Amino acid sequence: MKMILLGPPGAGKGTQAQFVTEHFRIPQISTGDMLRAAIKEGTNLGMQVKKIVSSGALVPDEIIIALVKERISHDDCKSGFLFDGFPRTIPQAKAVEDAGICLDSVVEIEISDEEIVARLSGRRVHKSSGRTYHVIHKPPKRAGLDDQTGEGLIQREDDQEETVRNRLGIYHKQTKPLMAFYQQLNIKNGLPRLFVVDGLGLLSEVRKRILDALNSAK
């Protein structure tokens, strides 16, 4: 099972990715984790990455692809893998294809922008503990206050409506087009299989939809 999981910020990809990798016993491959590991290990690629990151520049796609190819050659990827946060753009997806990395499945968690805005902009956090609440779905016992300490809750900058809508705009511009890209690959090669699942409902319900879709492709 070689796959990617797509969906807008706030769709629950991280949680669902964990479910999927545990179910199919495959690793979750994060490019961020790979970059940090390469720097820590001091490999040739790692030294290049360190220099680029230190300068504040973005790591080029060709280095990301080289790291990905090296990572999926490990024994734990023999049964497959799930890409986490990669590819994000059409050029990255083309680079993956050009590198001969073939995907079996692409799953998109579909959820409306308004639902995402409601989910994220309603989130409140107790800063020191990290406990999270939601003004509608999981409100604190006393409005604006942490249940355990009585201290005030905050809204993270990333959760403010304007920021959320900006992130959604970037997703629609850069990442959403990947579905059309992979649809063309499917027409051409028969792979990857594409699935769109409804992201509304309980985590367990969304999980079942994803696993049912993937299992149906076996």
Side-chain angles (χ1 to χ4, degrees), residues 73-158:
S73 69
H74 293 184
D75 287 344
D76 65 338
C77 292
K78 285 184 177 179
S79 297
F81 49 80
L82 185 151
F83 282 149
D84 177 8
F86 181 84
R88 290 182 185 273
T89 64
I90 297 294
Q92 288 180 348
K94 288 180 178 177
V96 169
E97 182 191 9
D98 292 342
I101 302 171
C102 300
L103 296 171
D104 299 319
S105 302
V106 176
V107 178
E108 179 185 30
I109 301 176
E110 188 174 62
I111 188 164
S112 73
D113 284 5
E114 294 310 311
E115 176 63 24
I116 291 293
V117 170
R119 279 187 184 185
L120 297 186
S121 64
R123 191 158 55 186
R124 298 294 184 270
V125 179
H126 179 237
K127 189 174 182 179
S128 60
S129 71
R131 280 186 291 276
T132 59
Y133 301 86
H134 192 279
V135 295
I136 297 174
H137 304 299
K138 188 186 174 184
K141 294 175 182 177
R142 291 182 293 166
L145 301 177
D146 178 55
D147 287 349
Q148 295 187 28
T149 66
E151 295 172 343
L153 303 176
I154 64 168
Q155 182 184 44
R156 297 185 306 193
E157 186 176 345
D158 281 355

